[in-house]
Amino acid sequence: FEACTPAYNEYNGWYNCTWDSPGKEEGYWGIRLNSSKSPYYDANSTIYENWFWLENRAPTVTNLTVTPPSGGWGTTYIFNASVIDPENDTVTCRLFVNTTGTWVYKGSSTITTPGNCSVVVNDFTCDEQGTATFKFEIDDGTSTNLYNTSVATGPTLGEDVVIVSYVSGNDTSVNRSTGSQLLILKIYDQDKNVAPSGANGTIWVTDGNYIYAWSNQTNGTGHLIINFTPDCSYSVGANTWFGGIINDKCYVDTNSSENFTIRIIGTLNGAIIQPNGEEYLRGSNITIRGNLTDECSNPITGASVIFNYTSLQTSQEFTCTPVNDEGDGYYNCTFNTSSPTLLPFPQNEHVYLL
């Protein structure tokens, strides 16, 4: 029994007290009446079994909401429910969310009513993308009052937003036949606040006419790393590169916000076509003719070509000027054997292209 105090005397044999029932268990309650008036009356205690039924009414829930209503699967979502209880009972709200056809418990909130139940969820996965539904199980401590709210819609889960930032490889050079250069970007999941591993990424390299894609997946620290090894498909000179995330079901396609530069360097190969072992009389004109290509067998025009030649008899070195660009990779110059131009210091032992 619980004490009901104070007891008020209404006179004419009537007494009363008021008992505060909020928070008390539902069910039948008995009353014990204790009375005394000495010295003329003996004390009395009377019990009234199951004298009244205490009904614990169920809480009422409104305003089922989730914030934000949509976003990436890695976003943090807050689920809310407004709760009113007639007896101001302490209420526990248990959240269940359905993203794949199965209700999954996501956490609970215990409040003093009236109030707002709020549960934070940040563990959705990429495979749960789509429109979710949710509900709360409401528990005020009375088993007969335990119930589920209606089902609410939300949130709509989509791809996470990423940020692509530059790491290294800008303003570098790479030899087309023998070199390699690392091009590195950093990927950051802005919704989940992590650097994603295993995300599909691509770095594009272009000379303005053709564009080439180099694909890889991010490593454990979120770095997209490409070991760029150009071949004869690429043009020499300054090429532009940029990159980011593409064709990944978990992330929004996103490229770097700026372009970067890499210079592709080729290798020149020169060959003397003429003379080729012929004999010439002193005082005659001799034309030296050569061919210039790169390592990809492309003829090179507009190059700076120098023809030097050496007298095997005197070891003196001479140069032939002017050099004429014939086009299609061919160059020539002509000198008279009676008046060759002597170089100021030894250069080489043979006629060559420079």
Side-chain angles (χ1 to χ4, degrees), residues 31-71:
I31 298 176
R32 182 171 64 188
L33 176 61
N34 297 321
S35 59
S36 64
K37 188 177 182 179
S38 60
Y40 304 108
Y41 296 92
D42 293 330
N44 178 267
S45 180
T46 304
I47 295 178
Y48 299 86
E49 296 285 354
N50 300 326
W51 197 249
F52 65 92
W53 172 269
L54 182 62
E55 179 71 24
N56 187 1
R57 291 170 293 175
T60 300
V61 178
T62 57
N63 299 326
L64 297 178
T65 62
V66 57
T67 305
S70 63

Side-chain angles (χ1 to χ4, degrees), residues 66-345:
V66 57
T67 305
S70 63
W73 55 267
T75 298
T76 295
Y77 294 91
I78 303 176
F79 295 80
N80 293 286
S82 298
V83 183
I84 299 174
D85 187 86
E87 291 82 25
N88 293 332
D89 289 336
T90 297
V91 173
T92 297
C93 307
R94 301 181 183 93
L95 174 67
F96 293 84
V97 179
N98 185 350
T99 59
T100 61
T102 302
W103 289 104
V104 178
Y105 172 69
K106 289 293 186 178
S108 66
S109 173
T110 299
I111 63 169
T112 300
T113 57
N116 180 71
C117 282
S118 183
V119 178
V120 176
V121 177
N122 57 9
D123 63 350
F124 291 119
T125 66
C126 173
D127 293 331
E128 294 182 275
Q129 291 183 62
T131 301
T133 54
F134 70 96
K135 63 183 178 181
F136 283 96
E137 180 186 75
I138 305 302
D139 185 0
D140 69 350
T142 300
S143 60
T144 55
N145 288 345
L146 186 68
Y147 74 97
N148 291 329
T149 66
S150 59
V151 175
T153 300
T156 299
L157 306 177
E159 297 172 324
D160 273 7
V161 174
V162 298
I163 298 173
V164 181
S165 58
Y166 165 78
V167 177
S168 68
N170 185 35
D171 198 24
T172 55
S173 299
V174 60
N175 187 282
R176 185 170 55 182
S177 57
T178 61
S180 65
Q181 175 63 48
L182 292 180
L183 308 180
I184 305 177
L185 298 173
K186 178 69 178 288
I187 311 300
Y188 186 76
D189 184 341
Q190 185 173 308
D191 292 324
K192 192 71 173 174
N193 293 322
V194 297
S197 172
N200 296 328
T202 296
I203 287 178
W204 290 271
V205 181
T206 178
D207 63 358
N209 296 314
Y210 300 96
I211 186 167
Y212 301 92
W214 293 71
S215 297
N216 201 357
Q217 290 186 324
T218 56
N219 63 14
T221 57
H223 288 89
L224 176 62
I225 302 175
I226 298 299
N227 186 27
F228 179 55
T229 54
D231 56 21
C232 288
S233 301
Y234 294 80
S235 300
V236 296
N239 281 247
T240 297
W241 68 273
F242 58 92
I245 294 297
I246 189 171
N247 294 332
D248 192 294
K249 68 176 183 178
C250 298
Y251 305 101
V252 177
D253 288 353
T254 306
N255 282 331
S256 52
S257 59
E258 59 181 312
N259 296 333
F260 311 102
T261 300
I262 186 168
R263 290 176 295 277
I264 298 177
I265 308 300
T267 301
L268 294 178
N269 299 316
I272 297 297
I273 306 301
Q274 175 189 339
N276 188 21
E278 299 90 349
E279 291 186 2
Y280 294 88
L281 294 176
R282 181 173 297 183
S284 62
N285 290 332
I286 298 176
T287 297
I288 302 175
R289 190 167 184 260
N291 177 252
L292 189 62
T293 60
D294 63 15
E295 80 278 21
C296 300
S297 300
N298 298 311
I300 303 300
T301 59
S304 177
V305 175
I306 300 174
F307 289 105
N308 291 337
Y309 55 98
T310 303
S311 170
L312 297 181
Q313 188 174 19
T314 65
S315 297
Q316 289 179 299
E317 297 192 23
F318 306 88
T319 186
C320 180
T321 58
V323 176
N324 302 308
D325 186 347
E326 300 178 18
D328 202 28
Y330 289 93
Y331 297 82
N332 72 73
C333 76
T334 301
F335 69 94
N336 188 278
T337 57
S338 62
S339 58
T341 301
L342 182 66
L343 287 174
F345 52 87

